[in-house]
Amino acid sequence: MGADHVVNHREPLVEQVRALGLKYVDHIAIFNDMRHRAAAVELIRPQGGIVAIDDTHLPMPMGELKTKAASLHWELMFTRSMFATPDMSKQHELLSFVADEIDAGRIRTTLAEVLSPINAANMREAHRLVETGAARGKIVVADFPA
C-alpha cells in the first residue's frame, strides 16, 4: 500500500520503530482506540503531530506532549458541517481529491471480503471475522435480498 516501514500494532511499537533505526517519527495516525497513546507520545519527534479519529475511554495526560511541544489533533469528518465552519467546503475538496486518486489508481481499497446478501447470518459472520482480531482489510455486508 506504499508504506516505507510497517509495524505490527499487536507487538510493542517502540521496540519495532527503534529496530528500524528511528528514534522519532514526524507524524503518527491512530485509527483505532487510544491504547497506543503512550507509545505514540514516546515516538513522536519534538514538534511532531499525532492525529486520532476514535473516541477514547482512557485518560489522556497532556503534559507528556508539552515537553516535546508536540500536537494532538482530532479529526471528525462531520465537524465542518455540524458547526458550519468557514472552511466547510474543504470536506468537498478532500472527498473530490480522494475520488480522483481512486479513479487514477493511486489509492486502492483494503476490501478483503464481501458477504452477500445482507441477512442475520452474514452479519453474524462479519462480526465473527472482525472479532477474531486477525481480519485483514475491510469486510463488507452488501445487497439487501430482493
Side-chain angles (χ1 to χ4, degrees):
M1 303 294 293
D4 294 326
H5 304 287
V6 178
V7 294
N8 183 342
H9 68 280
R10 292 183 181 92
E11 302 294 329
L13 297 178
V14 174
E15 291 83 355
Q16 293 178 78
V17 172
R18 298 279 159 70
L20 295 168
L22 303 169
K23 182 174 182 179
Y24 299 121
V25 295
D26 295 339
H27 309 284
I28 297 173
I30 301 176
F31 297 131
N32 57 7
D33 63 50
M34 293 294 286
R35 68 180 173 263
H36 299 300
R37 184 202 55 78
V41 170
E42 184 172 341
L43 290 168
I44 197 66
R45 74 161 165 77
Q47 300 179 325
I50 300 169
V51 64
I53 64 169
D54 207 352
D55 295 331
T56 182
H57 63 280
L58 302 172
M60 296 284 295
M62 300 305 291
E64 299 164 329
L65 289 174
K66 180 182 178 186
T67 304
K68 290 184 173 180
S71 302
L72 174 63
H73 304 270
W74 291 102
E75 178 59 39
L76 177 68
M77 68 184 277
F78 301 113
T79 297
R80 289 180 176 97
S81 59
M82 285 171 48
F83 296 98
T85 62
D87 66 342
M88 228 167 66
S89 65
K90 185 69 175 173
Q91 195 67 32
H92 168 76
E93 294 168 29
L94 291 167
L95 293 172
S96 294
F97 171 79
V98 170
D100 291 344
E101 293 294 294
I102 291 169
D103 290 344
R106 290 186 290 269
I107 293 179
R108 297 189 326 253
T109 181
T110 58
L111 177 65
E113 187 165 353
V114 176
L115 302 172
S116 180
I118 295 174
N119 59 31
N122 283 332
M123 294 299 290
R124 282 191 295 273
E125 177 62 8
H127 276 276
R128 186 193 70 75
L129 291 168
V130 170
E131 290 168 359
T132 66
R136 294 183 70 177
K138 300 295 179 194
I139 298 167
V140 173
V141 182
D143 302 322
F144 281 99

